[in-house]
Amino acid sequence: MTNAATTTASLNKFEKFKAEKDGLAVKAEIEKFASLGWEAMDETDRDHRLKWLGVFFRPVTPGKFMMRMRMPNGILTHHQMRVLAEVVQRYGDDGSADITTRQNIQLRGIRIEDLPEIFNKFHTVGLTSVQSGMDNVRNITGDPVAGLDADELFDTRELVQQIQDMITNKGEGNSEFTNLPRKFNIAITGGRDNSVHAEINDLAFVPAFKEGTGDWGLETREKQGSRGAEGQRSNVQSPIPDPQSPVFGFNVLVGGFFSGKRCEAAIPLNAWVSPEDVVALCRAVLEVFRDCGLRANRQKSRLMWLIDEWGLEKFRLEVENRLGKSLLPAAPKDEIDWEKRDHIGVHKQKQPGLNYVGLHVPVGRLAADDMFEIARLAEVYGNGEIRLTVEQNVIIPNISDSRLVMFLTEPLLEKFSITPKQLTRSLVSCTGAQFCNFALIETKQRALAMIKDLEAELELTHPVRIHWTGCPNSCGQPQVADIGLMGTKVRKNGKTVEGVDIYMGGKVGKEAQLGTCVQKGIPCEDLQPVLRDLLIQHFAAKPRQEALVSH
Ligand code: SRM
Ligand code: SF4
């Protein structure tokens, strides 16, 4: 199974407690924890192992837990949204939810005594929060407009679900993958605009056509020691290929990650797989990571550190061994040739007469009432489906032309606009100090206030993507932003105050690249004029007075 060492003496604290008891074991103890209460229960179970069920103890708000769901491809139903709304509603002012930078939802204010009932409710509507924290695979991202976009190359929904089912045993928990050396991120993009930031994932699939293979993916060379393909291969159906015409599949990227210590864009594995082999490849890569990944130092445990140690060629060979087949070399070019879309506003679907509408949710924060309203709008105007984006926004699909005008008069759209201002539109923020104990600064409320002030001062003709993150862990992805703001502590007039390091140059969509730090240690109280100048110098912003004169 895993290479978790047999002797625990030399292991770091995390490897030690994982070796003592698998994180998933707490699944059987939920009733017990509920009756014991959070103060009496074992601290390692409470602070760490509960994260295997997506339940996070919050030292900032002890007793009020956070729950991180799984939303494969960022899709949920109106029934599911209502259940989530009911869960947070019962906690009054303590209850809220956040849309995350992985197309997911986190719930706030959760009391441990309610967990058995909450899990039962999740079960009845097919929701799961299993394996969403600690050393597990995070929510798997896919195109938010999969199946709606006329220009998509591949509908990612089914594949994402299949990968999640493989990793989590259909949401019940799968001990095969509950002791990875560290967290692991997977993304699949089937559109042309790289809408899920493939480059910042440990494993990513980007669309690519393979010329003249006459084959449909993995070469058939069987290797010694390989498992049978039974049960490992996806049942995504593909048409019989014409050997003459280019075949659709994915180029594979590996090793992308952000951490406090190091940030790297994913690198090509030099492999191309057909859609039907994606699940098997995910399994093979995860097995290599699980069994061979570095575990001594948690700061050096993400997949890229193993690739560094082995070299890409050895890593690729080991993946092939697990797969039991050779991988085909990568297709010469990816089909990522569009600028990244943000999906805000009204858009025609590929289905005639239907539209999807992207609602801007400021920094992803939702109250219970908002969630009930989103569920109602999806049910009344669409087909009940709701989608989430990595920009922390909501999409309601399948609204008919005839219902659209009425939809656009709904009061919720005053709060969650379809025409937000240029800076508001692309604002992203991590959780920050309100709930996160790693945070060096408060993020969400500050981000909103500063954008409002900047928009009052400046006129912009196009969106500028500003991302806030409360500490170097980079959950708010400042490295993919036009302007990224990373929380830090700064000395000012002999005092320690909240500040930021500024990142610039992040490029998304085609030719994505990571931004770098351009300025360090700006106190937050001095930040606004600095941002104002950057917006004027680099993003053609005009002070309002000047803009008025030149019109
Ligand atoms: Fe994150 C840890 C929130 C996306 C890198 N992240 C945390 C914790 C769990 C820390 C904690 O226990 O307080 C944060 C929970 C705070 C809270 O109460 O909400 C947290 N991360 C988030 C979310 C909610 C930010 C958001 O506001 O959207 C995102 C949840 C995604 C999800 O649904 O699963 C979130 N985190 C990310 C991303 C972005 C991404 O995946 O595209 C990254 C950078 C990409 C990556 O991981 O390579 C990210 N989070 C981290 C790290 C640094 C990982 C590392 O290798 O060192 C940590 C710290 C850790 O794991 O030790 C961390
Ligand atoms: Fe917390 Fe830091 Fe992640 Fe923000 S970036 S959610 S402050 S760990």
Side-chain angles (χ1 to χ4, degrees), residues 259-279:
S259 74
K261 202 174 168 65
R262 180 179 173 199
C263 294
E264 293 290 345
I267 55 171
L269 180 64
N270 186 22
W272 177 93
V273 287
S274 70
E276 63 204 10
D277 289 319
V278 166
V279 180

Side-chain angles (χ1 to χ4, degrees), residues 94-153:
D94 290 338
S96 64
D98 287 313
I99 304 172
T100 77
T101 51
R102 292 200 71 79
Q103 265 184 331
N104 195 5
I105 289 189
Q106 292 187 168
L107 309 177
R108 308 251 171 225
I110 310 295
R111 307 292 171 134
I112 196 136
E113 54 272 26
D114 299 330
L115 282 181
E117 188 193 330
I118 291 173
F119 282 124
N120 280 339
K121 279 188 168 199
F122 286 175
H123 209 252
T124 57
V125 290
L127 278 169
T128 183
S129 58
V130 78
Q131 292 167 237
S132 60
M134 280 299 290
D135 297 347
N136 286 289
V137 180
R138 297 290 183 273
N139 194 47
I140 300 159
T141 54
D143 276 295
V145 289
L148 313 174
D149 177 9
D151 295 297
E152 78 182 349
L153 297 159

Side-chain angles (χ1 to χ4, degrees), residues 430-432 436 438-439 469-471 473-475:
C430 84
T431 305
C436 178
F438 286 125
T469 207
C471 79
N473 283 331
S474 299
C475 307

Side-chain angles (χ1 to χ4, degrees), residues 137 163 166-167 176-177 180-186 201-205 218 227 232 252-256 267 269 271 273 277-293 295 302-304 306-307 310 312 315-324 327:
V137 180
I163 300 168
M166 181 269 289
I167 291 166
E176 278 184 289
F177 297 117
L180 300 176
R182 208 52 167 94
K183 71 187 287 195
F184 194 90
N185 291 328
I186 303 178
N201 285 264
D202 297 273
L203 174 60
F205 297 86
L218 305 167
R227 280 177 285 95
Q232 315 300 332
V252 181
L253 304 176
V254 287
I267 55 171
L269 180 64
V273 287
D277 289 319
V278 166
V279 180
L281 187 68
C282 286
R283 172 177 269 281
V285 171
L286 282 171
E287 285 180 1
V288 173
F289 181 51
R290 179 193 66 195
D291 297 346
C292 310
R295 289 174 185 257
R302 296 289 294 270
L303 181 67
M304 187 62 108
L306 176 66
I307 296 172
W310 276 2
L312 191 65
F315 175 74
R316 193 177 181 281
L317 267 173
E318 194 51 42
V319 171
E320 286 183 327
N321 279 334
R322 299 296 174 133
L323 209 49
L327 287 160

Side-chain angles (χ1 to χ4, degrees), residues 507-521:
K507 170 126 184 32
V508 292
K510 64 177 178 181
E511 290 150 24
Q513 65 179 42
L514 302 185
T516 51
C517 184
V518 293
Q519 236 175 311
K520 275 179 119 51

